[in-house]
């Protein structure tokens, strides 16, 4: 292992972070990328990129999490994601800043654009990383494989590293820097895909992949009404509601809530699985949650095998009681 | 329509995964077509049925991967190509697939949204870039009309309706269709269909085939402390659970 480490890529002098916004607000994963970038950069320089006008507050916040420079890409063609426009913009920033390492969130957009940019740059990409370690000046990246049944630790051979980070896995750390603004005009042409329509489905404001608490329902919720007590519990805990594929397939909720291999992958501090049996596809989407609570009538349900705490009982009894209990606890009984 | 589907053979991740000496054991493993690639095959077959044309399936891998191609042929694909290679890096696979794609003119190229074993979804998107072709993914609904595609893509909680002119590449997401099972006559026919073979190192340069990264370690997830099923009256269980979570998760 030592041999291979010696051949590895050393820490970087210049690290570039592409940030992402949702409804005009910078997503938390962007700050997680900045924290990771500072770790990789050591004493080097970190630049963040904003796709948009770059409000003062956004720039200040990026600076407070470690951005020495902030590229502001105020171009209308970047207001909505398209692979062609984003690729051109990203390549132009990469050419200008000449980073040794590039980071972005492993989000819907990150997954879609990073491979394109990596191929154009003729470099590798290590995607969906859940941990970054620096050993002997070599950057080691950990990522889940085999539906979360194993982890691999990888390192780059090349001279330029490209990494996407799974949201909610790196703890952000403030590290104030100057955040010097670089207004950066980009030249975008020949955007070949046209977004005709965007149908918003996600109900709550809290992004499922970035929520600290997720209350999730399965077939056991029985119908759409059955999600109400789950939503109440999530509201009390400042969390988001998710669902298993079974609940989505049964039409109890929208596929936007689906957690699992196909749906969203979540890593909250607390995952409360209500009436979810625990099929492997579901586990692949949530098994890395820090604390898992299972509530299920069936004591044999596989979900109990990965749960830290289990309550065998009817979710319609347990969940409202838990909501009431948390209301007491949180208001400081 | 001339359709190309990029597929990959993978371990069935629904089965038990055994790690031995830092590698996943293949001893008792079951090999399947990556489930997301099956959606891509099915969609191509449906398009051919509606529009006419041919469906070619391609994979880059060792001889063993041929069985994945046979399955795709049995589902109804017309032609199959195997690129003989031990390369596994996404950059290399994309370059190899591009070399095959360039040998003909394809209207639409399809691939899976991601691979269940590696957890990565890089290859088809890299291929689109390699071919300088637009891509749309992950797609849950697809229509072809007048030389354009109209796709619904899954954009984290929102559905985007995206159009673009052909040729283009799409990645298939669950929900796009229900893949068919190979029929018995299909299986019989597939046995007689030829599989074209190319040597990877004759298609692209050694430099492109080189790995961009190395796996330093492979390990099972840290075993969790055995969970606790709470006992006693339900009210007491709930109270205990709330107080545990308050401390463990810092809820206040």
């Amino acid at each position: 292992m030592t041999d291979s480490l010696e051949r590895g890529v050393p820490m970087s002098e210049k690290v570039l972070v592409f940030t992402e916004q949702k409804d005009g607000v910078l997503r938390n994963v962007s700050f997680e990328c900045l924290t990771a970038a500072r770790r990789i950069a050591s004493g080097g320089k970190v630049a963040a990129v904003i796709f948009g006008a770059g409000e003062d507050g956004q720039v200040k916040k990026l600076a407070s999490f470690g951005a020495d420079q902030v590229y502001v890409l105020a171009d209308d063609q970047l207001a909505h994601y398209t692979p062609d426009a984003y690729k051109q913009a990203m390549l132009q920033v990469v050419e200008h800043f000449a980073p040794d390492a590039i980071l972005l969130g492993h989000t819907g957009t990150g997954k879609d654009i990073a491979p394109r940019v990596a191929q154009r740059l003729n470099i590798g990409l290590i995607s969906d990383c859940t941990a970054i370690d620096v050993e002997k000046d070599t950057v080691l990246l950990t990522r889940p494989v085999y539906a979360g049944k194993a982890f691999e630790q990888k390192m780059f051979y090349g001279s330029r590293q490209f990494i996407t980070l799974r949201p909610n896995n790196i703890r952000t750390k403030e590290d104030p820097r100057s955040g010097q603004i670089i207004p950066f005009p980009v030249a975008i042409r020949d955007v070949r895909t046209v977004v005709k329509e965007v149908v918003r489905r996600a109900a709550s404001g809290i992004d499922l992949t970035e929520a600290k608490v997720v209350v999730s329902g399965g077939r056991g919720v029985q119908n759409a009404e059955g999600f109400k007590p789950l939503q109440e519990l999530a509201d009390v805990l400042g969390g988001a509601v998710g669902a298993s594929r079974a609940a989505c397939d049964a039409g109890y909720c929208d596929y936007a809530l689906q957690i699992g291999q196909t749906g969203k992958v979540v890593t909250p501090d607390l995952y409360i699985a209500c009436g979810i049996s625990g099929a492997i596809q579901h586990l692949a989407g949530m098994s890395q949650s820090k604390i898992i609570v299972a509530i299920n009538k069936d004591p044999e349900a596989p979900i109990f095998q990965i749960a830290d705490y289990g309550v065998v009982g009817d979710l319609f009894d347990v969940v409202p009681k838990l909501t009431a209990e948390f209301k007491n606890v949180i208001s400081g009984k | 329509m001339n359709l190309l589907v990029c597929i990959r053979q993978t371990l069935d991740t629904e089965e038990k995964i055994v790690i031995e000496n830092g590698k996943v054991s293949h001893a008792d493993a079951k090999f399947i077509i990556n489930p997301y690639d099956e959606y891509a095959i099915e969609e191509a077959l449906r398009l051919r049925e509606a529009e006419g044309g041919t469906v070619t399936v391609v994979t880059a891998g060792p001889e063993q991967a041929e069985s994945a191609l046979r399955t795709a042929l049995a589902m109804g694909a017309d032609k199959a190509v195997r690129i003989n290679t031990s390369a596994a890096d996404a950059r290399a696979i994309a370059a190899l697939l591009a070399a095959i794609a360039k040998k003909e003119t394809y209207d639409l190229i399809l691939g899976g949204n991601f691979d269940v074993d590696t957890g990565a979804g890089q290859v088809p998107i890299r291929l689109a870039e390699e071919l300088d072709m637009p891509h749309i993914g992950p797609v849950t609904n697809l229509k072809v009309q007048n030389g354009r595609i109209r796709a619904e893509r899954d954009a984290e909680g929102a559905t985007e309706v995206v159009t673009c002119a052909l040729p283009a590449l799409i990645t298939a997401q669950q929900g796009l269709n229900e893949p068919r099972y190979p029929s018995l006559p299909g299986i019989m026919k597939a046995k007689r269909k030829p599989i074209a073979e190319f040597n990877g190192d004759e298609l692209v340069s050694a430099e492109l085939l080189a790995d961009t990264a190395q796996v330093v370690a492979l390990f099972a997830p840290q075993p969790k402390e055995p969970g606790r099923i709470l006992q006693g009256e339900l009210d007491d269980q709930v109270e205990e659970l709330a107080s545990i979570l308050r401390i463990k998760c810092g809820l206040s």
Side-chain angles (χ1 to χ4, degrees):
Chain A
M1 192 153 144
T2 343
D3 282 1
S4 57
L5 284 184
E6 277 161 13
R7 284 189 288 133
V9 177
M11 296 171 72
S12 305
E13 291 296 312
K14 291 164 96 179
V15 184
L16 186 62
V17 172
F18 288 101
T19 69
E20 194 178 331
Q21 300 175 47
K22 196 188 175 198
D23 303 327
V25 180
L26 286 166
R27 294 182 62 163
N28 202 45
V29 69
S30 300
F31 301 107
E32 292 163 6
C33 285
L34 272 177
T35 295
R38 281 258 65 108
R39 201 180 300 163
I40 296 173
S42 184
K45 199 199 273 183
V46 173
V49 183
I50 296 182
F51 296 94
E55 294 155 28
D56 205 30
Q58 292 181 332
V59 173
K60 279 198 179 117
K61 198 162 177 209
L62 292 171
S64 72
F65 281 93
D68 298 297
Q69 295 180 329
V70 180
Y71 282 81
V72 175
L73 276 49
D75 191 304
D76 288 347
Q77 293 184 85
L78 299 172
H80 195 93
Y81 170 70
T82 58
D84 284 341
Y86 269 56
K87 182 194 81 180
Q88 292 173 53
M90 288 167 76
L91 288 172
Q92 286 162 30
V93 178
V94 168
E95 196 185 343
H96 188 262
F97 185 67
D100 308 299
I102 306 166
L103 284 118
L104 69 160
H106 195 69
T107 60
T109 298
K111 284 178 218 184
D112 202 63
I113 195 59
R116 264 206 107 109
V117 173
Q119 192 71 9
R120 183 50 46 205
L121 294 171
N122 194 22
I123 58 173
L125 163 67
I126 302 183
S127 61
D128 200 17
C129 298
T130 54
I132 294 188
D133 296 287
V134 179
E135 258 177 49
K136 291 187 186 168
D137 284 351
T138 295
V139 178
L140 296 173
L141 299 148
T142 305
R143 59 190 300 282
V145 287
Y146 298 97
K149 289 178 177 178
F151 283 85
E152 63 180 14
Q153 198 173 44
K154 293 182 98 169
M155 55 162 225
F156 282 100
Y157 282 134
S159 56
R160 186 175 262 171
Q161 319 189 43
F162 197 170
I163 300 158
T164 63
L165 280 188
R166 180 182 286 198
N168 247 354
N169 282 270
I170 306 263
R171 208 160 281 278
T172 55
K173 199 173 127 212
E174 293 212 28
D175 187 352
R177 305 280 160 155
S178 59
Q180 177 208 349
I181 295 175
I182 304 177
F184 192 77
V186 287
I188 295 168
R189 55 194 187 88
D190 299 336
V191 176
R192 295 167 292 185
T193 59
V194 183
V195 180
K196 291 281 186 193
E197 196 185 336
V198 182
V199 188
R200 282 261 160 236
R201 290 183 303 184
S204 117
I206 298 168
D207 188 293
L208 199 45
T209 59
E210 297 192 348
K212 295 293 173 198
V213 177
V214 173
V215 182
S216 199
R219 210 188 296 274
V221 298
Q222 292 171 6
N223 51 46
E225 277 292 288
F227 269 98
K228 272 203 177 148
L230 274 57
Q231 185 68 56
E232 283 164 15
L233 177 57
D235 288 345
V236 169
L237 298 174
V241 169
S244 72
R245 187 181 177 199
C248 300
D249 281 348
Y252 303 164
C253 65
D254 197 281
Y255 280 101
L257 300 188
Q258 186 182 340
I259 290 169
Q261 204 167 48
T262 295
K264 298 195 169 72
V265 174
V266 299
T267 322
D269 292 340
L270 173 60
Y271 189 90
I272 305 179
C274 310
I276 290 177
S277 65
I280 176 67
Q281 293 92 336
H282 186 71
L283 303 187
M286 47 65 73
S287 62
Q288 294 309 306
S289 304
K290 280 144 210 125
I291 301 268
I292 297 169
V293 172
I295 300 166
N296 203 304
K297 276 197 281 199
D298 174 11
E300 304 297 323
I303 191 79
F304 284 117
Q305 287 168 19
I306 66 148
D308 299 282
Y309 303 98
V311 176
V312 178
D314 187 335
L315 73 94
F316 294 107
D317 291 333
V318 180
V319 173
K321 282 182 197 286
L322 199 55
T323 306
E325 192 64 33
F326 273 122
K327 275 188 182 157
N328 282 336
V329 167
I330 287 169
S331 61
K333 187 169 71 171
Chain B
M1 279 185 96
N2 216 2
L3 300 141
L4 180 68
V5 189
C6 306
I7 69 169
R8 198 168 150 269
Q9 190 174 53
T10 156
L11 280 185
D12 188 349
T13 53
E14 297 203 12
E15 304 282 320
K16 191 172 165 60
I17 299 293
V18 181
I19 298 169
E20 275 173 2
N21 307 321
K23 286 212 159 74
V24 168
S25 164
H26 288 186
D28 298 311
K30 193 175 138 206
F31 286 89
I32 55 169
I33 297 178
N34 180 46
Y36 294 84
D37 302 351
E38 278 192 344
Y39 301 122
I41 299 169
E42 176 63 34
E43 199 63 18
L45 295 175
R46 289 181 189 197
L47 284 171
R48 183 196 61 192
E49 283 154 12
E51 313 267 329
T54 48
V55 173
T56 305
V57 283
V58 57
T59 194
E63 202 175 340
Q64 183 196 263
E66 221 182 89
S67 63
L69 292 174
R70 289 275 171 222
T71 306
L73 289 170
M75 286 171 76
D78 303 288
K79 296 194 236 171
V81 178
R82 182 171 71 87
I83 305 162
N84 190 26
T85 182
S86 57
D89 206 277
R91 180 182 68 166
I93 303 294
L96 289 167
L97 293 172
I100 295 300
K102 282 176 187 161
K103 289 183 186 290
E104 288 219 23
T105 310
Y106 293 101
D107 303 299
L108 184 65
I109 302 179
L110 303 94
N113 173 35
F114 78 106
D115 295 335
V116 293
D117 54 354
T118 64
Q122 297 189 30
V123 170
I125 296 172
R126 281 177 176 266
L127 171 60
E129 181 61 24
E130 197 69 25
L131 296 170
D132 195 20
M133 202 180 254
H135 85 270
I136 305 175
V139 170
T140 52
N141 190 294
L142 182 68
K143 287 193 172 65
V144 178
Q145 218 172 22
N146 306 326
R148 288 184 73 82
I149 53 173
R150 179 192 176 280
E152 288 179 11
R153 73 176 282 263
D154 167 18
E156 283 200 13
T159 300
E160 281 183 10
V161 179
V162 184
T163 66
C164 81
L166 296 173
L169 180 146
I170 66 122
T171 66
Q173 169 70 314
Q174 188 178 62
L176 180 59
N177 54 47
E178 249 342 293
R180 69 195 66 188
Y181 288 101
S183 66
L184 195 58
I187 294 170
M188 299 310 290
K189 251 196 250 172
K191 283 185 181 159
R192 292 193 302 272
K193 290 181 187 169
I195 292 178
E197 217 181 288
F198 294 89
N199 268 329
D201 45 17
E202 289 165 18
L203 293 172
V204 304
S205 69
E207 187 223 339
L208 265 181
L209 289 178
D211 286 345
T212 58
Q214 182 196 343
V215 177
V216 181
L218 183 84
F219 49 92
Q222 288 208 324
K224 287 192 82 152
E225 303 254 315
R228 243 184 80 201
I229 303 288
L230 302 179
Q231 307 289 342
E233 291 294 319
L234 190 56
D235 284 344
D236 297 337
Q237 288 188 34
V238 167
E239 195 181 329
E240 187 187 354
L241 181 61
S243 72
I244 292 170
L245 295 180
R246 190 172 69 123
I247 296 160
K248 293 253 179 189
C249 304
L251 301 168
S252 56

